[in-house]
Amino acid sequence: MTEAAELPPVPEQARDVFSARYADAVRYAELLAEAGVKRGLIGPREVPRLWERHLLNCAVLSEVVPEGVTVCDVGSGAGLPGIPLALVREDLKITLLEPLLRRTNFLTEVVELLGLDHVTVVRGRAEEVMGKLPPVHVVTARAVAPLDRLATWGVPLLRPYGEMLALKGDTAEEELKAAATALSKLGAVETSILHVGEGVVDPLSTVVRVEVGESPGGVRFAAKRAKAARTGRARRRRG
């Protein structure tokens, strides 16, 4: 049996980044290193770099999330970036959206244990919940899929004039170029690449921002969204 990898010492930057929620961030790191590895949510090789590569890398996304908005973390997995973001930003209302039961079970346990009252866990795929979940101001994602495919899931969940913030690596620029046509069809009006985490992470975290206009998802999804809304209203009347 392979020995469990040891969680590294907590970096000094974590105290500043997580502030009042520092102890909760440490507990979350421990849960990822223990239950997260045992349940196959993260690989054991990730444990030595949990802080720099995962928790801090995700927490600095908060630098570009507006105040007091609603957020949906698509394909949340083990809670990255949703849970670090929630620990840093209690002004946000965050939904962790994840299709796999073992992951949603873990997420629910973490949310309850850390007392994250502003976080809701929903089991489902993005394409299944459109019209069932209220549209959000911001969609976040990390390591879910290439940008063009991710956008087809995430963009339709947005409110008009909302934005998708996708944490990406070195391929961000290439992915953005490759996805240009798909993004335009989905109602994107502006795209940009941001670098966040100055003084916290090295290299900086790379974020692809996709801003939408008045029709998130484009014409195709406008009809689908309207149909889902009508179905929802009909169900509520029957209830």
Side-chain angles (χ1 to χ4, degrees):
M1 188 174 171
T2 312
E3 257 187 59
E6 194 175 331
L7 192 62
V10 184
E12 275 304 308
Q13 301 96 307
R15 287 189 181 275
D16 293 331
V17 171
F18 292 104
S19 190
R21 285 284 195 167
Y22 169 75
D24 291 326
V26 172
R27 185 67 189 117
Y28 176 50
E30 291 168 351
L31 289 165
L32 284 174
E34 296 157 11
V37 171
K38 282 178 189 168
R39 298 190 200 181
L41 304 182
I42 66 163
R45 289 182 183 178
E46 296 305 311
V47 174
R49 49 188 186 175
L50 260 181
W51 282 103
E52 282 84 357
R53 187 180 169 87
H54 298 289
L55 274 78
L56 290 171
N57 179 273
C58 290
V60 295
L61 182 62
S62 66
E63 293 177 21
V64 290
V65 178
E67 276 188 42
V69 298
T70 52
V71 178
C72 182
D73 188 32
V74 172
S76 197
L80 301 163
I83 287 177
L85 185 60
L87 288 168
V88 174
R89 296 285 299 278
E90 296 195 52
D91 60 301
L92 305 174
K93 294 285 183 193
I94 299 177
T95 299
L96 306 179
L97 181 62
E98 169 55 48
L100 294 185
L101 181 61
R102 63 190 169 90
R103 292 177 181 166
T104 53
N105 284 343
F106 176 77
L107 292 172
T108 301
E109 289 164 24
V110 170
V111 165
E112 288 175 359
L113 184 67
L114 303 184
L116 298 173
D117 299 332
H118 57 306
V119 178
T120 305
V121 178
V122 173
R123 186 184 174 200
R125 298 183 184 280
E127 57 269 36
E128 296 166 349
V129 301
M130 192 180 68
K132 297 175 186 173
L133 291 181
V136 296
H137 298 93
V138 177
V139 162
T140 58
R142 178 179 186 255
V144 174
L147 189 61
D148 54 351
R149 202 180 335 148
L150 173 62
T152 64
W153 301 332
V155 168
L157 300 177
L158 290 169
R159 294 168 48 135
Y161 308 104
E163 59 186 334
M164 183 174 77
L165 299 171
L167 277 161
K168 289 287 181 180
D170 298 336
T171 61
E173 201 166 325
E174 293 162 35
E175 285 193 48
L176 190 51
K177 282 180 186 169
T181 303
L183 291 173
S184 179
K185 286 180 182 174
L186 287 165
V189 294
E190 194 166 332
T191 60
S192 51
I193 294 176
L194 313 172
H195 298 284
V196 295
E198 185 73 48
V200 178
V201 288
D202 184 17
L204 299 178
S205 298
T206 302
V207 181
V208 174
R209 172 188 267 159
V210 176
E211 298 172 74
V212 299
E214 61 183 19
S215 299
V219 177
R220 177 185 157 203
F221 286 97
K224 196 173 176 183
R225 191 183 292 107
K227 184 181 176 184
R230 284 196 300 273
T231 306
R233 284 197 296 270
R235 280 188 190 136
R236 286 194 292 275
R237 280 198 297 270
R238 286 198 298 271

